[in-house]
Amino acid sequence: MAYTPFAIRGFNMCESLLRHSPEQLRTFIRRMKKLRLNTLILHYDYGWKRYQDLLIAECEACGIEIILMTFGPRTFLSYCDWKPQWLAVKEDGTPWTCRLECETYPCAAHAECLEAYEYGARQWLLSLPPQIKHVHMRAADGIMFCECESCRRLPEHERWQPFVERFVKAVQDIRPDLKFETDVYVMRYNIPENRMPFCRMDNIMYDTFFRTPAFPLDTDEDTCTSCNMSYASGHTVPDAATISRYHANRLREWGAAFPGKVYVHENAMMQSYYGTFQHGTDSYLKDLRLYRELELQGVCYEAFEPGFANFEPMFEILADALNGEEIDHEMTELEYRLRSSRQAVFCQDPDLPLDKFFRDPFLLEQNRLYREMMLKPSLDNCRCYIDFAFANEMRMDPLFIGYGVAKNCLAQKVAVFPGISAEAQDFLSRRKLWDFMEDIPDSENPRDVCKNIIYELMEKGRPVC
């Protein structure tokens, strides 16, 4: 049986653009054409300015629509002499962050901040090249909502709403020809009281963050993630025992409230697992059936070229399903095991016989080294995984792996890094790798800069005794 293709069938490259070479970007986009995908979300804040000509040309040649996404607070406030007091604070009054970065939330209690935000939105819209027809304003990529006396009287999803309203006003005043949208994300999954801005949008992106691929949505099986419900729902008392069920409930609400607008973003390549495939093919296929039932517009899966090879077989199946093909998928023995064991993260089970499930020497070694590093964190195990990633750059994402592993060494008190350069200190101080990479001057290659820093850290790192 064939189905009508989803209207939105694509990828979200998230904040990864600067981790790509130009040739990797071309390869990624041209593969999308072969998969019959039609939508690519690109992040303005992290690599667009460096690669926009290439990206526009390749997408035009492949018939792919670009959705240009920007972190509103980071970009819009940069158009003015922003003030530190505009940024979100903790309940004790100290700021969550003093930088404009992907984690930055502003405080809605400052009228001057709201005015500056709208001014910045207008300037950004005026700056767009004519090829861009669809834009997305995303909130900060985290949960650091303002907790000042004024803001904490509101639920989290209402603390962001004034900025959504300002963005909608700016688009309708400055570029009414554009298609535009925003995101529904952690702690903002409830529909705000003022629905009008969402009624005016062309699309709404619902991000199923913190679900685990081992379990499909609309089930109560993923009890292993129940402890994270407050991360998703915020202070609101959730109406479900598991995150899978919670997301399904919210998707029903958003889909019914804004018919023909909602599509889904799935964090499929899951940067935090350092290239380790999470075996979610069966779950994602079941989810697509749910999305058809709810009449959602489609899906954009998180994906990028560094490490894509580990996920390619799954994406080929999902692309066929997005294009309306009936997929007769039989769960693998490993998928059964993960689901029955209620395991949220693959390859952290010390008793799993890896050689039983992996015949490819690369995958066997990758999973072995990853498990060693996660279950027995040590500087030596971290070095081994980073060395493996750089030795297999065509199948791994060594820059993100090197950054994330080094940060975890500090957080877990596994290692210290004495005598490192000022640049390496800056690298480790950043909340996210992409904020550091975006600040690298155009005259330098961001991939080479980060590679050299990672090698420096591994050379100078010392274990904590």
Side-chain angles (χ1 to χ4, degrees), residues 182-193:
T182 190
D183 66 315
V184 178
Y185 191 51
V186 290
M187 296 194 180
R188 297 186 285 105
Y189 288 120
N190 289 309
I191 298 175
E193 183 176 346

Side-chain angles (χ1 to χ4, degrees), residues 392-413:
N392 294 276
E393 290 193 55
M394 297 305 293
R395 297 189 69 168
M396 301 287 282
D397 189 356
L399 299 185
F400 184 78
I401 289 169
Y403 167 83
V405 169
K407 292 276 285 188
N408 277 347
C409 281
L410 284 175
Q412 297 176 3
K413 299 182 179 178

Side-chain angles (χ1 to χ4, degrees), residues 18 98 123 179 182 225 275 429:
L18 292 174
C98 297
Q123 298 305 116
K179 294 167 64 177
T182 190
T225 60
S429 75

Side-chain angles (χ1 to χ4, degrees), residues 207-254:
D207 190 326
T208 58
F209 194 76
F210 229 90
R211 64 82 55 88
T212 171
F215 304 93
L217 300 184
D218 215 17
T219 70
D220 295 316
E221 296 180 70
D222 62 321
T223 53
C224 50
T225 60
S226 297
C227 60
N228 298 311
M229 185 63 78
S230 62
Y231 186 86
S233 63
H235 296 149
T236 305
V237 177
D239 60 352
T242 69
I243 287 179
S244 291
R245 181 73 70 187
Y246 176 78
H247 279 313
N249 290 349
R250 301 289 76 72
L251 281 167
R252 286 191 173 90
E253 288 181 351
W254 282 90

